[in-house]
Amino acid sequence: MDKRIATLAEAVAGIPDGASVMIGGFGGSGAPIELIHALIDRYLATGSPKNLTVINNNAGNGHVGIAALIEQGMVAKMVCSFPRSADPRVFTELYLSGKIELELVPQGTLAERIRAGGAGIPAFYTPTAYGTDLANGKPVAEFDGRHYVQERWLKADFALIKAEAGDTHGNLTYRMAGRNFGPIMAMAAACTIAQVSRAVEAGSIDPEAVITPGIFVDMIVEVPSPQQEEALNRAGAHHP
């Protein structure tokens, strides 16, 4: 089955209003900028999708990528660990005006909730956040004399991720730190869309080098020279 999609616009065409979308990236490392911008372009042309729940490590910087997605009013809720990073003005202004909801999740807990979603584990216990406001309303249990907070799995309708190489079957490799959340998000989403720097034929990737097996990937779209969020921000870029 050939999972290659010809254009970015086609790749994101099926994301509806109200969808939950996991977006890979640790800051700009591994962030699928082109897929995010294609989603924004679709919204500007059609008015959809909107009211999205976006799950990411942060709430974006500057006026590109996730920050641009938020700036267009497409995001109803952010689930993230770092809503305030280098230049978070877009999210901050909307949050303070009550126009976007925030679910704050410690970074390790966020990663484990996503991993649990992909592994089919509905809940787990962690000591992180015990005794803080983040634990309010959550079940607490004691194990070996220490208190732990129950956290639920985290799944999504779609995942947008960035990989280095992808073959026609959807098998993926990543470049260094760009790997971050991509593999677990691919497992936790009902539909995974990956932008890859190189689209190759099946069998071109050594099976020992595959990080995300193609069974977890629905579409790949080739972006030979992907943009880097930090470089765009240093240049003062805005999207659109």
Side-chain angles (χ1 to χ4, degrees):
M1 179 180 180
D2 193 338
K3 297 182 179 180
R4 291 174 295 187
I5 303 297
T7 68
L8 290 158
E10 291 176 75
V12 302
I15 300 177
D17 290 353
S20 54
V21 185
M22 290 178 174
I23 301 179
F26 186 86
S29 179
I33 296 296
E34 284 76 12
L35 278 173
I36 299 169
H37 289 177
L39 200 60
I40 294 170
D41 294 343
R42 181 182 154 215
Y43 172 76
L44 293 174
T46 68
S48 181
K50 56 183 180 295
N51 296 324
L52 300 174
T53 295
V54 171
I55 300 150
N56 183 260
N57 185 60
N58 61 73
N61 289 290
H63 301 275
V64 299
I66 289 177
L69 198 72
I70 294 170
E71 193 165 29
Q72 293 301 319
M74 299 169 64
V75 182
K77 179 180 179 179
M78 278 297 309
V79 180
C80 70
S81 300
F82 297 98
R84 292 185 60 82
S85 42
D87 183 12
R89 72 186 75 177
V90 170
F91 173 81
T92 300
E93 290 173 1
L94 289 178
Y95 180 73
L96 291 176
S97 63
K99 295 179 180 177
I100 190 169
E101 184 180 350
L102 171 65
E103 180 179 345
L104 188 64
V105 185
Q107 184 174 274
T109 303
L110 178 66
E112 185 62 11
R113 286 181 65 191
I114 296 169
R115 191 199 68 82
I121 300 169
F124 61 91
Y125 283 90
T126 174
T128 305
Y130 173 72
T132 74
D133 288 346
L134 296 183
N136 290 345
K138 297 177 181 178
V140 173
E142 185 176 335
F143 298 95
D144 298 328
R146 189 176 185 186
H147 290 94
Y148 292 77
V149 179
Q150 186 190 98
E151 296 285 355
R152 297 294 305 274
W153 60 7
L154 190 56
K155 299 188 283 186
D157 302 314
F158 294 87
L160 304 181
I161 63 175
K162 177 183 179 181
E164 177 65 17
D167 70 15
T168 55
H169 291 172
N171 297 302
L172 303 178
T173 68
Y174 300 84
R175 183 179 182 276
M176 301 183 348
R179 176 172 172 173
N180 52 69
F181 286 90
I184 56 174
M185 286 182 171
M187 295 176 64
C191 178
T192 295
I193 305 165
Q195 68 170 70
V196 300
S197 297
R198 295 184 292 113
V200 300
E201 295 299 324
S204 298
I205 301 175
D206 182 345
E208 294 293 332
V210 170
I211 302 301
T212 297
I215 192 171
F216 298 118
V217 179
D218 297 275
M219 291 177 261
I220 66 168
V221 57
E222 188 174 37
V223 181
S225 299
Q227 300 178 91
Q228 189 66 27
E229 180 180 287
E230 289 83 357
L232 291 171
N233 284 331
R234 283 194 297 271
H238 286 63
H239 190 87

